[in-house]
Amino acid sequence: MTPNAEGRYPFRHAANEYLRAHYGLLATSTYDERVRRFSRMAKDFEALRKADKVTTMDPAQLTAEDVKEYFLMLKGRGLSAKGLSHNISALKVLCFYHGNAAVDVCRAKYPIIKTRLPTHRLPTTPLTILSEILDKGNECQSYERIRNYSVVVCAYCAGMRPVEIQHARIENLNTSDGVIYIDVVKGQGSYGEPRYIPIHPEGIEILKKYVHLRNIKFGSKGYLFTSAGRRYFSTNALRFFKTRVENEVSHKFDFREGRRTFGQMLIDEGVSVEDVAVIMGHRTSRTTEKYYARRTQKSAMSNILKLWEKRRNEKNE
């Protein structure tokens, strides 16, 4: 988005103010997506104002009725529930930044307007596919190919987000102890906190091989995944590396699927959900259980039966 006169294009001015305030605090992909979404929203509100369907284009002054008109415009286009949710949520963030709770007022006043998506955990990667990824990664000999698999390993064996993979530094990786320190995290400056992450043993050898080849090319300092110019790779580049791995294992996945799989592996191996939440950088274990990983019914049953068996044995001794 480009700067505009406050009086003529108040929505764009308000969006630019929000974006300037959050530059460097949001993940690069989130920031870029928000730039594009605000730009589309500005055009929509300009069209609504021209048609005299809203009272203002200023997010600080929007009313519940204005929000409703925007919702009806999107719904009239046949936008999916997901699309509606993302747009209304983005509008809420922008309005709230400027001290306006119009979106929440609209939701309370017009209950028929529902923009919340169903909350459920998406699937993890089958362990057979994960084993294939790790096996192929261990077979790699070339630098480019082992780099691609190492990026994927950071998601599957450390639960790292793209922004955390981007900014991870070679100095903060200890392959001997199997630990990496992440100092650039999602929610930087707000809820996100730097943290240590234990790397699952299944992925350590791949990372060791990658580090050896990487250090020959670039030395032992700088970004873990670095370009020839010693800069970190863009999220598009990380996705390209991931796609190369997808093509080799014939399984499409995203980085969140890797995070979910990492979290579920820890839970299945007996780690408490509270500890998994801390390692994954969640504010509460509720987020972990709702979206990422949860004790399976089978393992819960097994644990309960083992506990009762232990008590019976102790009682009979």
Side-chain angles (χ1 to χ4, degrees):
M1 300 181 69
T2 55
N4 295 276
E6 181 176 2
R8 190 176 179 188
Y9 298 117
F11 193 99
R12 295 174 185 268
H13 176 85
N16 284 333
E17 185 179 333
Y18 170 91
L19 291 168
R20 284 194 296 269
H22 288 80
Y23 184 77
L25 300 179
L26 299 172
T28 304
S29 57
T30 302
Y31 183 87
D32 292 343
E33 188 276 336
R34 200 151 286 180
V35 169
R36 293 190 295 270
R37 193 175 299 279
F38 284 158
S39 182
R40 292 193 299 268
M41 291 169 67
K43 293 177 182 178
D44 287 340
F45 272 98
E46 287 160 15
L48 287 168
R49 187 71 185 97
K50 188 175 181 179
D52 203 28
K53 290 188 175 181
V54 296
T55 60
T56 179
M57 293 184 290
D58 184 356
Q61 302 297 325
L62 288 175
T63 66
E65 284 67 29
D66 294 331
V67 174
K68 182 185 74 170
E69 288 298 328
Y70 175 60
F71 176 87
L72 293 175
M73 168 190 265
L74 297 178
K75 196 171 181 65
R77 290 178 184 164
L79 213 62
S80 67
K82 184 176 182 180
L84 287 168
S85 178
H86 287 326
N87 279 282
I88 296 300
S89 294
L91 180 61
K92 175 182 176 178
V93 166
L94 181 59
C95 289
F96 191 76
Y97 175 79
H98 291 281
N100 185 359
V103 173
D104 284 337
V105 174
C106 180
R107 284 171 170 164
K109 192 172 182 179
Y110 305 105
I112 195 171
I113 297 179
K114 297 185 183 298
T115 60
R116 292 185 181 276
L117 292 173
T119 55
H120 59 275
R121 281 171 286 113
L122 294 172
T124 58
T125 300
L127 292 183
T128 53
I129 299 294
L130 179 56
S131 295
E132 185 179 357
I133 291 173
L134 296 173
D135 288 343
K136 287 185 179 295
N138 281 307
E139 293 169 1
C140 293
Q141 297 300 322
S142 70
Y143 166 75
E144 287 77 13
R145 193 159 172 251
I146 191 71
R147 176 201 59 202
N148 297 344
Y149 277 89
S150 294
V151 166
V152 172
V153 161
C154 284
Y156 275 106
C157 295
M160 293 165 62
R161 304 177 175 98
V163 68
E164 296 166 351
I165 299 173
Q166 267 187 303
H167 295 275
R169 299 189 66 84
I170 192 73
E171 300 96 324
N172 293 338
L173 171 63
N174 185 330
T175 54
S176 297
D177 294 339
V179 174
I180 186 168
Y181 177 69
I182 301 298
D183 54 5
V184 176
V185 298
K186 182 179 179 181
Q188 189 88 3
S190 53
Y191 64 85
E193 295 182 357
R195 67 188 191 281
Y196 286 95
I197 302 176
I199 302 167
H200 198 282
E202 295 290 336
I204 288 293
E205 292 306 314
I206 295 173
L207 287 177
K208 283 183 178 180
K209 187 187 296 185
Y210 166 71
V211 167
H212 174 71
L213 295 177
R214 177 229 176 270
N215 289 354
I216 292 174
K217 288 177 70 71
F218 301 112
S220 58
K221 292 184 179 180
Y223 294 107
L224 177 59
F225 299 103
T226 185
S227 64
R230 302 296 198 276
R231 291 185 54 78
Y232 57 79
F233 285 107
S234 67
T235 52
N236 283 337
L238 296 183
R239 283 193 288 269
F240 175 76
F241 301 154
K242 175 183 69 69
T243 300
R244 289 294 185 90
V245 174
E246 288 176 337
N247 292 338
E248 291 192 24
V249 300
S250 300
H251 176 74
K252 299 293 183 182
F253 58 88
D254 58 22
F255 287 106
R256 284 190 178 181
E257 184 174 320
R259 273 173 61 77
R260 290 195 300 274
T261 303
F262 173 70
Q264 192 62 56
M265 282 197 300
L266 294 183
I267 293 288
D268 291 345
E269 290 170 4
V271 181
S272 72
V273 69
E274 291 79 12
D275 286 344
V276 173
V278 171
I279 293 304
M280 296 186 73
H282 293 153
R283 280 178 286 185
T284 68
S285 59
R286 183 181 178 186
T287 300
T288 311
E289 289 188 287
K290 184 180 289 187
Y291 298 108
Y292 289 89
R294 189 179 183 184
R295 181 83 65 197
T296 63
Q297 184 179 14
K298 182 178 179 180
S299 62
M301 284 285 292
S302 176
N303 288 342
I304 292 170
L305 292 174
K306 285 178 182 177
L307 174 63
W308 289 346
E309 179 67 23
K310 179 181 178 182
R311 288 179 178 175
R312 280 195 296 269
N313 292 338
E314 290 175 349
K315 191 174 182 180
N316 294 330
E317 286 180 355

